[in-house]
Amino acid sequence: MGKNCRNGQAEILDDRELDRIFRHLISREHKLFFTIARYTGERFGAIAQLRVSDVYDDHCKPLQEITFPASIRKASPDGSRSTRQMICYERLADGLAAQRPKSCDRFWLFPSSIKTGQPITWSAADKWLRAAVERAGLEHRGISGHSLRRSFITKLYESGMDIHAIQQITGHKSISVLQKYIGKNPAKLKEALGAIFA
């Protein structure tokens, strides 16, 4: 299962499909990873390298903001990296609380079960996501870890959020790059045009 023939871009999912995949995730850890990806739009590679202290306090309660340090985020085309902080709004905070680790007394939020002292890899997360997608009966779609990022950004845009506000949330330096993430929904475009030219 890979990307479909939509210019090599990962499929955009609606809330119903995201909920369906979530229900087919096996472990609490997988559900936590998915929750962070779904409600922050961050890349799998950065989420895999989160420390517990980036997300939870000493009592295992969600922080006011999740911090994605520059060192774990993908570099911009110019090679620079920047730290991204994501406000823990209600839905995200609820998900973090519901799926919190049984113990926050560890360094990595998602420790590797193979390499001691290391975090999981994005490919390991991608593997269990693909298994959940298959169990959900959605394997025919071009769903990958990047689908959650594209779905997050598209949902913000379709909800009426200004492109500059989305840029602040996602950390994109270039609006032209950000626009590539936004899926075009013909039905919504028709509805918008109909409202304008009523």
Side-chain angles (χ1 to χ4, degrees), residues 11 69 87 92 116 197:
E11 185 72 66
I87 297 168
L92 174 57
T116 304
F197 296 102

Side-chain angles (χ1 to χ4, degrees), residues 29-48:
E29 190 170 82
H30 295 175
K31 289 181 177 183
L32 175 60
F33 195 108
F34 187 90
T35 295
I36 294 172
R38 178 178 182 177
Y39 296 115
T40 69
E42 189 55 74
R43 292 178 180 87
F44 268 35
I47 297 170

